[in-house]
Every structure is written in C-alpha cells, then in structure tokens.
C-alpha cells in the first residue's frame, strides 16, 4: 500500500505533487491495491466540470458491501465492526462482529427484496442511532437500492418533502427513539408525513422503545419477524461504478432541499482513503465519530469509510449531556477509544461544564482528535487540546461538505503541523483555488477569497436528484470550470487554509447547515406574518444562532409579541425541526431593500451582530429610513 498511509510532511508533499501531476495514476493505484472489483474499469476518469459531467472508474463493477463486509470475513470475521453504545449507560453495549454484520445485512437485504425493492429504487430511512440504521444503509447497497436517510430530528413536513422529492415507496423507521431522558415518537412523525406521500406503500418498523403505536393495516410491518424468517444468504448485486449509492438532502440558500446524489466506486475509494489517512487508523483501534448517520459525516465516517478499512466503529445512540456531561468521556474510557471525531459546537458545550467531568475518566487511549462541521474557534481548540488530548493528540480540523462526500482539507496526523483554526492543507487529489468576486484566481500566498475546487475528486456528488440544471447553476456557474463551495477562505503565508465561513445565505447553526429561505417560507405561513428575513449572529455554543426580522400584517388587531414568538418557532419546528428555531425575533415595520426589491441581508446581519457602526452606505436603499427604526428596537 505504497501511497495509502502518509507518515510525514515530506511524504505528504511528495504524494500531493504526484496526485496533482497525474491524478489518474494516483487514484488508479489506490483503487487497484485496496479494493475488491468484480470487473476492472476501462477509464479512470472522464470529466468536464462545465457541464458538469464526471465519471470515475467507468466500466468497473463492484458492490460496496463486499468491500465493507465480505472481504473482511476471512481475516476479521470475529472482529467487532459496529460497537453499539446505547443511550442508557446501564444497557449493555453490543459488539457486532463482521460475521454478524454480514448476516444481519443479508437478512435485511432479503426482507427489502421480498417487499419488492429492486436495484435503483429509493428507500427512505428515518431511524434513530441504533444498529439497524447502519444495517439498513448496507442492506440497500447490497441489492443496489438507493438509500435516502433523513435525520430523525427532522419534522414530518421536512420528511414528507424528502420522501416525495425522490419518490420513495418504502420507509424504514422505528416505534420511537431515545434521546437522553426523552423519547421521540418517530412513528407518529412518519404517520403524519405519509398523509402527504401517496407513493409510499410499505413502512418497515423497528421495535426500539416498545411504545404503543398505530400500525396502519396493509402498510406498516414489524421488521423483526420478517428478519427472523429471512435467509442469511444474499448475493451482492453487481453495480456499475457510477450507479447511485445514495441520496442525501442538504439545504440550499434558496428553494427546496437539494438531494445530493453520490455514486458507488469513487465514493468508496475516497472515503476509505481519507478515513485511513486522516485518522491514521491501525488494526485494532477503536474509532468513534459522534455524528448522526443522518448527516454525511455519519454516512462517510461512521459507516462506509471505517468499514471499508475493516475498522471497529462506535455507534452512539445518546447525547453528550446524558446522564450527565461526562458521558463522552465515560464512553471513551469504557471502549478505549483511539480516534474521537466530533463537532465544535459539542466541544464548546462541554467546555462550559465542570472540568472534573473529563478529569474523572481515563482518556489515555486517545491518539487522534477530530472536528468537523464549522470553523473551530481558538478557545475551543485549546480546551480540546489541553483537556481531552492532554497536548498529546493531533487535532484534525477537517473541512468538507455533504456535496464533497469526504474530507477535503485537513491535517494528516504526525505529518502536518497543526495551527488552531486552520484546516491546513488539501488532502492528496484535492486542488483548491481561491477566487475574487470577479472570478479571478488568486495566486500565491497571503490571499483570501471564495473557496473553489479546480479538479474532480472521486467522492464528489454527481448531480442533484431530478435537477441537474440546479446542480450546475449552484456549484459550477459562478466560476467557470470550478466547483464553488459557498465558503470563504484564506491562504496564509505558508499555504495553509483557514475557512472563514459561508459567503451565501446558508447559516451553520450547531454544525447544521440551514438555508435562510426555507425558514423564512415557514415563518411566512403564520397568518399574522407579512414578510421575514433571517440572518445569523455569533453564539457562544452554537457558533451561530438565528435572528429573525419579522413584519406583521396590518390587521388593526393587537397581538401579544411573546405568544407570536412562540407560535413562529412552533411553525418552524413543524416545517423543518427544532434545530432551525430562532433565538431572537424582532418585529419591525420594514426591511431594508435594494431598489430592485431584494432584502439587504448584509445590513440586517450587521445589526444583529451589534455592528451598527459598520453599515456602510445605506443611501442607495429603497427605504433607508427603516434602518434607523430597526436599530432603535434591536434585541
Ligand atoms: C459546510 C458544509 C461535512 C460534514 C458536516 C457539514 C462548514 C464544515 C468545516 C470546518 C470550517 C466547516 C462549511 C461547509 N464546515 N467543516 N472544518 N471548518 N467550516 O456538512 O452540512 O454539508 O455543511 O460546513 O461552511 O460549507 P454540511
């Protein structure tokens, strides 16, 4: 495995140069040496980023589950693949070996087949963080069905939109889920959603919390009895390299959520390669990523990347605060976790709690710490480094996106010297570029601009489900021939990258990607609301929080602002989910608009951030007078 495991900075630069000089040979060697192919490719790469049309390993045939499971059976059959840590610490953890995982995936796959699911069909998965979630993904992949996982914190409306967008006829869910001291009525949410999803004929229900639920006759079926009857032999479907593996929705700055389509071979090669290098995984390590499988982080770095490497990957059902804020560290100690990957928002929340929560646990197994989802601030970085890593564990600040499929810019432990707040250097094969607003490439160091990627990489999303034009318009039209990330970044004097945040109307709240438009659409559904605008403002724990400026309809009626605020957040919870609730809601008479009628969010953002001395020229606005009125009432 010549270029599989990078060990020092010199080697990184060598490998990086090679990957850029001759990307095809670089990825071909990795693909050849590390995976199981049923038929080799005819061409490594065909690409045209203006269309965009990108094909990796065209002509190859494979099944990703054979790579993630079957090929490990001989050497690692009794090794733990999934290590399930339940919400309740007194419930026994489950060590699911590769052999058991194989059997459970095959049985589940056979159940899907019996329910009529065929290659290319979309299967919606709406499950809590239990083993069946990972198994459901793999069962779909086994038979070539396309999974569309919807994070179980999303509301029924959000779920219905996603089910309908890609025409799922089957949903996999559970009677409910545990989340700290609470239980979540997932089946109830599915029932509500399905009132608006006429295409769904089958709901498979996992029993988790043993609650009383309504089983819709002719539609809902308990999963376990079907699994008990199913055969544990299920030959893997032969997939073409570019057959879709899954759809995962992400919010955009406008319009409905975008169903990003990831395909099979490139995604597998890239997630496996980056997992191995970024986490320096060694046989017998225990790796834990705290994300939910409902997000891309969970797809790529709980399920596919680790399993493709034959790793032991922890699947945690709970939350960091239950039964108390020591939970993460208790789990690290209990399972002797070696690599720990979490989000800055979790670190900030933990850093606010008493230090003895971590001090009372043995964290000496830890070797590598990771973060993902948003920029990590310096204070949080140091807290993590000092108290969790004890200054002995490299911190990998990994920048990437749902669209990129895998980690793009990140230190490689022991090779890349880290600097707090810097994602540092591009991984091999990744060619970042910074652009100014006119579309000129900014060369050299000490520059900042819009972050783009100038060459295809194997795990990039290939399209938006059902809307290739939107894919092209959103990502490939701002800068011709480049993928535009939507983020701003700077490159320092040494060539290190620091991600400075979104340059569009997407706001990252607690590491969740939220588009302003869908939230505004939800608020505007309230009968008393005429118009609204959402901006982000800095928040100690969440990174950003949401500030809503709301214009009420003139009805002559007096309404209680406190009640209205509650109702508005209720509507947002129903349409999107509690993650999108507003921290502040200011009622106002008007919103600053350009002469063409566009809301000037830039001005609202400054006001929400308390930077009213930096508003710049407001005289060109259609209604400059509203700015003073808004400032006067700012919350
Ligand atoms: C956006 C993508 C990729 C998994 C989770 C988020 C922000 C992500 C970092 C980081 C600064 C980061 C970016 C990006 N982001 N990681 N290490 N430093 N910003 O996936 O929901 O698709 O969000 O998250 O703004 O564009 P996502």
């Amino acid at each position: 495995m010549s270029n599989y495991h990078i060990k020092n900075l010199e080697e990184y630069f060598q490998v990086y140069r090679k990957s850029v000089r001759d990307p095809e040979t670089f990825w071909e060697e990795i693909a050849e040496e590390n995976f199981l192919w049923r038929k080799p490719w005819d061409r490594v790469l065909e690409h045209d980023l203006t269309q965009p049309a990108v094909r990796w390993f065209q002509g190859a045939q494979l099944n990703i589950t054979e790579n993630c499971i079957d090929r490990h059976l001989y050497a690692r059959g009794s090794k733990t693949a999934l290590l399930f840590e339940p919400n309740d610490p007194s419930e026994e953890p489950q060590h699911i070996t590769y052999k058991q995982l194989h059997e459970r995936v095959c049985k589940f796959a056979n159940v899907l087949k019996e329910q009529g699911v065929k290659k290319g069909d979309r299967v919606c998965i709406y499950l809590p963080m239990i083993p069946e979630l990972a198994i459901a993904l793999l069962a779909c992949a086994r038979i070539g069905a396309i999974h569309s996982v919807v994070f179980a914190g999303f509301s029924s409306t959000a779920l219905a939109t996603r089910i309908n967008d890609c025409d799922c006829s089957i949903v996999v869910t559970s009677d409910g889920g545990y989340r700290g001291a609470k239980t979540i009525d997932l089946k109830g949410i599915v029932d509500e959603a399905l009132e608006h999803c006429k295409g769904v004929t089958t709901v498979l229900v996992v029993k988790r919390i043993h609650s009383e639920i309504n089983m819709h006759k002719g539609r809902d079926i308990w999963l376990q009895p079907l699994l008990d009857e199913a055969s544990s032999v299920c030959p893997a479907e032969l997939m073409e390299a570019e057959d879709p593996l899954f759809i995962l929705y992400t919010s955009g700055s406008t319009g409905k959520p975008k169903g990003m389509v990831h395909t099979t071979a490139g995604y597998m090669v890239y997630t496996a390669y980056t997992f191995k290098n970024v986490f320096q995984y060694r046989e017998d390590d225990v790796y834990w990523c705290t994300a939910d499988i409902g997000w891309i982080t969970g797809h790529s770095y709980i399920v596919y990347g680790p399993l493709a490497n034959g790793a032991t990957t922890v699947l945690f059902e709970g939350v960091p605060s239950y039964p108390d804020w020591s939970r993460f560290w208790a789990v690290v100690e209990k399972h002797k976790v070696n690599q720990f990957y979490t989000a800055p928002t979790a670190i900030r929340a933990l850093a606010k709690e008493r230090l003895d929560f971590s001090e009372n646990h043995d964290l000496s197994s830890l070797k590598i710490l990771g973060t993902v989802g948003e920029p990590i601030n310096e204070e949080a970085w140091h807290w993590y480094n000092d108290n969790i890593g004890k200054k002995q564990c490299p911190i990998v600040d990994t920048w990437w996106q749902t669209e990129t499929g895998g980690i793009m810019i990140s230190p490689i432990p022991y090779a890349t010297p880290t600097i707090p707040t810097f994602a540092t250097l591009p991984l091999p094969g990744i060619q970042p570029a910074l652009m100014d607003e006119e579309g000129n490439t900014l060369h050299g160091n000490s520059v900042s601009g819009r972050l783009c990627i100038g060459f295809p990489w194997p795990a990039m999303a290939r399209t938006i489900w059902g809307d290739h034009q939107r894919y092209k318009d959103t990502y490939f039209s701002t800068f011709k021939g480049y993928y535009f990330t939507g983020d701003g970044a700077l490159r320092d004097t040494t060539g290190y990258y620091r991600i400075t945040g979104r340059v569009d109307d997407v706001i990252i709240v607690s590491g969740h990607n939220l588009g302003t438009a869908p939230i505004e659409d939800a608020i505007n559904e309230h009968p008393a609301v005429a118009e609204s605008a959402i901006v982000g403002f800095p928040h100690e724990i969440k990174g950003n929080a949401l500030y809503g400026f709301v214009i009420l309809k003139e009805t002559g009626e007096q309404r209680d602002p406190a009640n209205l605020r509650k109702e508005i957040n209720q509507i947002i919870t129903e349409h999107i989910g509690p993650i999108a609730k507003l921290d502040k809601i200011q009622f106002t008479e008007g919103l600053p608009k350009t002469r063409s009628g566009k809301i000037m969010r830039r001005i609202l953002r400054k006001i929400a951030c308390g930077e009213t001395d930096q508003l710049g020229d407001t005289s060109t606005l259609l209604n400059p007078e509203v700015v003073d009125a808004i400032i006067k009432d700012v919350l």
Side-chain angles (χ1 to χ4, degrees), residues 297 372-375 397-402 487 499 502 508 513:
T297 309
V372 61
E374 59 186 312
D397 175 354
T398 63
W399 173 84
W400 57 297
Q401 309 177 296
T402 305
D487 281 317
I499 313 301
R502 301 290 308 187
I508 314 268
N513 208 330

Side-chain angles (χ1 to χ4, degrees), residues 63-92:
N63 186 289
I64 196 168
T65 69
E66 289 190 327
N67 282 277
C68 287
I69 311 172
D70 303 51
R71 72 179 167 130
H72 305 309
L73 291 177
Y74 185 68
R76 302 188 179 105
S78 53
K79 174 177 177 175
T80 302
L82 293 179
L83 205 177
F84 175 59
E85 170 68 24
N87 178 63
D88 178 351
S90 65
E91 191 183 325
E92 278 299 303

Side-chain angles (χ1 to χ4, degrees), residues 77 94 107 151 194 240 293 343 373 391 435 531 574 602:
Q94 290 175 35
K107 279 176 169 267
F151 170 59
L194 294 193
E240 302 295 324
I293 293 176
K391 296 197 168 85
M435 305 288 185
E531 200 181 2
E574 283 160 18
R602 185 178 57 78

Side-chain angles (χ1 to χ4, degrees), residues 248-251 260 291 295-298 301 341 343-344 371-376 396-407 409-410 421-423 451 475 483 485-488 498-504 506-508 511-514:
L248 187 62
Y249 287 86
T250 186
S251 24
M260 305 313 307
W295 309 113
I296 190 72
T297 309
Y301 299 109
Y341 191 27
T371 77
V372 61
E374 59 186 312
I376 179 163
V396 289
D397 175 354
T398 63
W399 173 84
W400 57 297
Q401 309 177 296
T402 305
E403 295 85 338
T404 68
I407 299 169
I409 303 182
S410 166
T421 77
F422 281 80
L451 178 62
Y475 303 103
Y483 166 77
T485 64
D487 281 317
R498 176 189 194 164
I499 313 301
T500 47
R502 301 290 308 187
V503 295
D504 54 11
V506 170
I507 306 171
I508 314 268
H512 300 310
N513 208 330
L514 299 172

Side-chain angles (χ1 to χ4, degrees), residues 539-554:
H539 184 280
E540 215 186 332
I541 292 179
K542 298 196 260 193
N544 293 297
L546 300 177
Y547 194 124
F549 296 90
V550 176
I551 306 181
L552 295 175
K553 283 182 187 153
E554 288 186 39

